[in-house]
Amino acid sequence: MSTFEPLVFSGVQPTGNLHLGNYLGAIRRWVALQENNNCIYCVVDQHAITQAVSVWGGPSELLRNTREVTAAFLAAGVDPKKHIVFNQSRVRQHSELAWVFNCIARMGWLNRMTQFKDKAGKDRENASVGLYVYPNLMAADILVYRATHVPVGEDQKQHLELTRDIAQKFNTDFSDRISELGLGVETQSGHETISSFFPLTEPVIGGPAARLMSLRDGTKKMSKSDPSDLSRINLIDDADTISKKIRKAKTDSDPLPSEVDGLKDRPEADNLVGIYAALTDSDKETVLHNFGGQQFSVFKPALAELAVEKLSPIAAEMRRISADPGFVDAVLKDGGERASILAEKTMRNVRDIVGFLQD
Ligand code: AMP
Ligand code: TRP
């Protein structure tokens, strides 16, 4: 039985304030996956404009942030020669497939998306239509390459479930046509063997940093849009700023527990231990083995020193790369050209499957 070629795809929005959650939850894991996989990493500029212009900052900000996110990918160790790095809007096939998916996905599916509810807030009538169909474009980003694995933070889980629902409905709605054209990959679905055009993509989520929380409130996600800069560690923060933010991080007054169970109902302590674990490539058990029984007055300086040691070289490399925007632009152009070839191959098949006449 044939299977889908393993392929990794992921993306980050160029919306500013790239933070430790983006790095530990996503980008750093992309770097690890490069060893044994073909990978495509994308700056999703079309997703960035789904909120109000006042939120994403307008054209100059978008250009600046697109280059900055690219610099962060490269500084973190993404290899744009062996793999593909590009900005989404260059490859028109993403929006083309998104239209087909707008016609596959059901209103009821999108109505369940919690990210839409969070971002639209109370005034849902005033949210853009783009924000509503954001998950369909995300599914298109992934499936236009027939990607099999998507490394992201925990907050994207629901979007990836929707991506699978879309793939499955497309495969079923067009199953006869897919077989007739010989475009299917034989896959097992329960007892049946079905001929699928799109894979059911697997999320790659996990580890101690799958969901980093705000440093000011352990019940809120660390986020680019939190008005308090003290709530997050930005990738471009200097050593003093990182230390200050960790020193000021909210905690309770108890010493650290010796077992992971003891972190229950202590969201701030849990978060800081998780950050330490992720930065040392270990787990919370190991961190508590070393720091259990210690006060935050001991743990925080150790965490600050570690964070500075791990993040400073990345910030320095981001600054070095950003000093040469011509280089960054060339990386995106080259990646866009290579991505377009792959995306067009899928889209030619999709047009044939759906019944769109083409040459
Ligand atoms: P975004 O900034 O929304 O484009 O997110 C880019 C990537 O970072 C996605 O894979 C997110 O799941 C991940 N991410 C964002 N915030 C966090 C967080 N607080 N903890 C862990 N991962 C995160
Ligand atoms: N929605 C993702 C986020 O907010 C960004 C994204 C867009 C993405 N397209 C994607 C992530 C495709 C993974 C795969 O983080």
Side-chain angles (χ1 to χ4, degrees), residues 9-11 13 44 47 115 134 138 141-142 150 152 156 159:
F9 182 95
S10 196
Q13 301 181 72
V44 288
H47 279 113
Q115 185 172 296
Y134 175 120
M138 176 161 164
D141 296 338
I142 296 164
V150 178
V152 280
Q156 295 304 310
H159 286 159

